[in-house]
Amino acid sequence: MIEMLSDPWLFITIAVGLFMAWAIGANDAANSMSTAVGAGAITPKQAVIIAGILEFTGAYLFGKSVTETVRKGIIDASQISDPHVIIYGSIAALLAASLWLVFATKFGLPVSTTHSIIGGIVGYGIVYAGTSIVNWSKMAQVVASWILSPIFGAIVAFTVIKLVSKTILQKDKPIESARRWAPVWIGLAFIVIGSMFYIKVMHGKSLFIAITRYGATAGLITFVISFVLLKRNFRTKDPYLGVEAIFKKVQVLTSAYVALSHGANDVANAIGPVAAVYAVATMGLAGMKVPVPKWILAMGGLGIAIGVATYGYRVMETVGKKITELTNTRGFSIDFSAATVVLVASWMGLPISTTHTVVGAVIGVGLARGVKAINKDIVKDIIISWFVTVPVAAIIAGIIFKILMVLG
Amino acid sequence: MQVWTKLFAKSPFKPLIKHAEVVLETVEVLEKALEAWEVGDYETMRNYARKVDDLEDFADRIKEEIRDSLSSKLFMPVNRGDILRYLHMQDKIADAAENTAKWLLVRDPNDMPEDIKEEIKSLIMKMSQESIKAAKLVYEAIVQMDTVIESGFGEKEIEKEYELIREIESVEHKIDELDTEFMEIIFKNSSKLEWGLGMYLLNIAKTLSNISDKAKDAAERIRLMMNK
């Protein structure tokens, strides 16, 4: 901590990193809990507390202790020899990404925080060394994810909602079928979530271990619990309400998982550049991967939690009041599908954005005639916002970087 | 992220059900007016008939609101045009009820020939009961349409919906028969009836049978909604 005070640039980077963490919390965190809040499973206040704690826990305990200084190797760090470039560049990237996130949050656009920081890094990279510094094949993957994520999300969600309604809602005796099938669906969802926990939160590599150890255990436990609970008490008056009541409880768990995993993964977007500057300030070198001190992780986690509490609260409150058309089975189908797509994609090495997949899943549920109304205009706005995220963040970062280079 | 609030637009089905509720109430109040008419309590009849008029106005306002909110930017499980045409037909049910109420207000039929008075009254009351049944079935059909969507267009729920539509069609058929019977009586006794009275009675019957006609048209539209 001492060296932080002695180096003003590190101090500034940490401040900007905190701002970025706050922006991530504000933009994304409400996302994890909003389906549960919207479907009435928890109140906005509860959601803020749960999300805040889990985001922090995810970031602090499960955030990567070694982080890539330039996210995902999007630019060639070996071309940067001047340590000042890393410092100014990191500040520029963080500031640009945070500003874009704040803007997007203000207009309710679900943009990817990862893509924002990638845009920021590409921006300063190009200003410094020209377009040759950019790893264009990585960039192509990012662009591909704009198309792949929503399409996969839509296909899987379409299938899931169709199967859920085929196995439960459309049967002659929905109550009987719900008793039998709901635990299966819940179990399946938790196989995915358990596996994701290993890969995304604990940063494990093997999908086999993920599924056999974590996925199978989580799936089995939730299957047995829900099976027993459904045998014992089930609101039988209205089968549809009964089914919704089951999925309502499940949704709290799936959103809790999303919050934890989000903290573990997205904290890197805020602290990666901070860690890079920290490495320069303390060791005087600019490497691709640097160890991240725990206190930087904690600050990232704190920043996200504050973002949830200050801005996320407002968002969740509006969500809680406004979303009436999101039932628990649909919310469950969306969560389950998005998680499955992200899991399979990370196993196959495909670049997938969770945010984009979720939006795709919503459209998939709509195409399956499961949602009563989707706003086409908003879908259009969202898709446009995905395409402009990287260029806009890049341009802002480029300008900030240029200014810092002149001043510094 | 506020995307959730914006991405999911307001479903048009809750307001459609609300509209159907008001339409049903309009027809129910009309029956009360006819009950008062049957016993000769014209003062009460007038009050109810005016209430029918108010309710029809209310239904109109809901209709306008739904139309305004159903912009083409919505992506819905059923065709937007089908919903609008359905709404139009559902609203026509209230219009038909209002037309009956208007005819009721035109004059006091205290000059009906004694020998056919009871027969006429009982036929009118039968028609009124059937039209209420039709309006109630339309209400049930739109609530069921909501369930059909809720179940992801489950075959079982679609079958239930077809059942309701068939019932509406059979009610309409029944009223048509009553209407024909009524016309025959009026023309058979036309020499005993003053022309104004005959016109008055025929129009009450005509407008009453119109209620079920419109209910049938609405049911037809629901059928179309299911075959997107």
Side-chain angles (χ1 to χ4, degrees):
Chain A
M1 284 294 273
I2 306 296
E3 64 272 12
M4 177 184 120
L5 301 169
S6 60
D7 188 331
W9 283 113
L10 184 58
F11 187 79
I12 292 169
T13 319
I14 286 168
V16 182
L18 261 176
F19 180 43
M20 175 70 178
W22 176 84
I24 292 173
N27 184 286
D28 270 10
N31 178 24
S32 66
M33 290 277 160
S34 57
T35 51
V37 175
I42 40 172
T43 66
K45 204 170 250 170
Q46 288 169 329
V48 166
I49 294 168
I50 297 172
I53 292 172
L54 289 175
E55 292 273 355
F56 180 81
T57 312
Y60 183 65
L61 293 181
F62 301 106
K64 274 191 178 170
S65 51
V66 173
T67 190
E68 295 147 294
T69 53
V70 285
R71 280 295 276 171
K72 317 262 181 199
I74 197 80
I75 60 168
D76 179 11
S78 67
Q79 288 190 31
I80 303 171
S81 47
D82 183 358
H84 283 104
V85 172
I86 289 282
I87 295 171
Y88 300 150
S90 298
I91 292 172
L94 277 175
L95 204 55
S98 327
L99 289 173
W100 170 241
L101 278 181
V102 169
F103 176 83
T105 308
K106 188 117 186 73
F107 288 91
L109 297 169
V111 298
S112 159
T113 53
T114 308
H115 291 177
S116 306
I117 197 75
I118 282 176
I121 291 165
V122 167
Y124 90 76
I126 291 178
V127 169
Y128 175 65
T131 50
S132 68
I133 197 172
V134 179
N135 186 343
W136 288 105
S137 71
K138 285 265 181 192
M139 201 59 217
Q141 287 189 0
V142 171
V143 175
S145 84
W146 295 336
I147 299 148
L148 292 178
S149 316
I151 290 177
F152 285 154
I155 293 171
V156 175
F158 181 91
T159 318
V160 168
I161 192 96
K162 276 276 180 218
L163 288 175
V164 167
S165 61
K166 270 255 157 21
T167 50
I168 299 177
L169 304 173
Q170 302 188 5
K171 289 280 172 166
D172 289 338
K173 295 173 184 157
I175 300 167
E176 299 282 298
S177 350
R179 280 210 175 104
R180 199 171 313 134
W181 281 97
V184 174
W185 283 109
I186 295 165
L188 275 176
F190 275 87
I191 290 178
V192 174
I193 285 177
S195 314
M196 290 270 279
F197 182 81
Y198 179 68
I199 288 184
K200 283 272 174 180
V201 180
M202 295 175 69
H203 308 293
K205 287 276 174 274
S206 155
L207 187 73
F208 181 74
I209 295 175
I211 292 175
T212 50
R213 260 188 233 159
Y214 293 86
T217 316
L220 202 65
I221 292 172
T222 44
F223 174 80
V224 171
I225 292 176
S226 49
F227 188 80
V228 172
L229 283 179
L230 284 182
K231 267 267 178 289
R232 286 175 54 197
N233 41 15
F234 188 90
R235 277 206 270 162
T236 42
K237 263 193 181 157
D238 182 337
Y240 296 112
L241 283 184
V243 174
E244 294 302 332
I246 306 164
F247 284 104
K248 195 183 230 182
K249 300 201 171 66
V250 177
Q251 267 211 306
V252 181
L253 291 176
T254 52
S255 349
Y257 162 74
V258 175
L260 189 71
S261 145
H262 180 259
N265 279 285
D266 281 24
V267 73
N269 290 331
I271 63 154
V274 178
V277 175
Y278 176 78
V280 174
T282 53
M283 294 177 272
L285 46 89
M288 262 293 269
K289 292 194 174 189
V290 289
V292 182
K294 270 284 172 192
W295 63 266
I296 294 188
L297 276 174
M299 288 223 315
L302 194 68
I304 295 179
I306 294 171
V308 176
T310 51
Y311 202 88
Y313 184 73
R314 254 179 50 200
V315 174
M316 284 195 234
E317 220 179 25
T318 22
V319 166
K321 279 175 195 150
K322 277 192 186 162
I323 300 188
T324 47
E325 308 312 329
L326 191 63
T327 60
N328 303 93
T329 36
R330 292 172 199 148
F332 171 82
S333 301
I334 292 166
D335 286 354
F336 177 35
S337 312
T340 309
V341 169
V342 172
L343 177 69
V344 174
S346 39
W347 169 62
M348 290 168 71
L350 292 172
I352 287 274
S353 151
T354 312
T355 316
H356 300 183
T357 311
V358 168
V359 174
V362 170
I363 294 165
V365 173
L367 286 173
R369 308 219 272 182
V371 175
K372 286 173 194 163
I374 290 176
N375 198 329
K376 278 193 249 173
D377 280 6
I378 303 298
V379 173
K380 206 174 69 196
D381 285 354
I382 289 170
I383 292 171
I384 292 171
S385 77
W386 293 348
F387 281 85
V388 299
T389 293
V390 170
V392 168
I395 291 165
I396 304 173
I399 294 168
I400 298 172
F401 179 70
K402 197 88 200 162
I403 294 170
L404 287 175
M405 284 296 267
V406 171
L407 291 179
Chain B
M1 154 163 97
Q2 295 115 306
V3 58
W4 295 103
T5 58
K6 292 189 189 166
L7 198 54
F8 293 102
K10 256 205 156 103
S11 151
F13 285 89
K14 293 268 146 35
L16 272 182
I17 291 170
K18 176 77 202 160
H19 183 263
E21 246 175 58
V22 176
V23 168
L24 175 59
E25 208 188 332
T26 314
V27 181
E28 277 170 350
V29 173
L30 177 68
E31 193 195 25
K32 283 190 189 139
L34 283 165
E35 275 164 1
W37 172 83
E38 192 190 11
V39 297
D41 182 357
Y42 298 127
E43 195 45 47
T44 314
M45 181 203 84
R46 278 204 182 82
N47 285 336
Y48 278 129
R50 277 185 209 109
K51 208 179 158 201
V52 168
D53 194 36
D54 290 345
L55 281 166
E56 193 272 338
D57 263 359
F58 185 36
D60 262 349
R61 280 206 301 278
I62 300 177
K63 180 189 73 180
E64 292 305 326
E65 267 172 44
I66 298 175
R67 276 187 182 161
D68 288 344
S69 65
L70 265 181
S71 64
S72 55
K73 64 183 185 185
L74 287 188
F75 170 63
M76 289 180 296
V78 290
N79 186 295
R80 172 173 168 266
D82 286 341
I83 294 182
L84 287 173
R85 280 185 283 270
Y86 167 77
L87 176 64
H88 178 68
M89 285 309 159
Q90 187 171 267
D91 197 60
K92 284 270 182 226
I93 301 174
D95 287 350
E98 194 207 13
N99 279 336
T100 312
K102 262 189 207 155
W103 277 102
L104 284 179
L105 290 170
V106 168
R107 60 176 280 172
D108 297 344
N110 40 16
D111 49 358
M112 260 191 271
E114 282 305 319
D115 54 334
I116 54 168
K117 199 175 182 177
E118 285 316 307
E119 202 176 357
I120 283 177
K121 278 187 174 174
S122 95
L123 262 180
I124 291 280
M125 289 323 287
K126 258 192 217 158
M127 287 176 79
S128 146
Q129 278 153 17
E130 290 300 315
S131 34
I132 288 204
K133 207 165 148 194
K136 200 171 257 159
L137 283 168
V138 167
Y139 171 73
E140 278 171 32
I142 192 66
V143 170
Q144 177 61 20
M145 190 64 216
D146 198 42
T147 313
V148 166
I149 295 169
E150 204 66 41
S151 73
F153 286 74
E155 270 158 42
K156 195 171 60 91
E157 301 299 343
I158 289 183
E159 194 34 61
K160 270 192 211 164
E161 184 70 291
Y162 280 135
E163 190 55 47
L164 283 168
I165 293 172
R166 280 194 289 270
E167 253 184 272
I168 295 171
E169 283 163 346
S170 85
V171 168
E172 190 265 347
H173 186 67
K174 211 164 162 188
I175 293 201
D176 266 355
E177 278 173 0
L178 291 170
D179 190 29
T180 315
E181 199 183 321
F182 190 84
M183 278 156 68
E184 279 167 8
I185 293 171
I186 297 291
F187 280 98
K188 230 187 282 168
N189 299 289
S190 54
S191 55
K192 289 184 230 163
L193 291 168
E194 173 230 338
W195 74 268
L197 177 65
M199 191 174 169
Y200 165 81
L201 290 172
L202 280 174
N203 270 302
I204 288 177
K206 192 91 260 159
T207 48
L208 267 178
S209 91
N210 226 340
I211 294 177
S212 67
D213 277 348
K214 301 304 171 202
K216 194 190 81 170
D217 290 344
E220 276 299 312
R221 290 292 159 190
I222 291 188
R223 201 198 287 274
L224 286 177
M225 274 196 238
M226 288 190 294
N227 320 324
K228 183 184 170 185

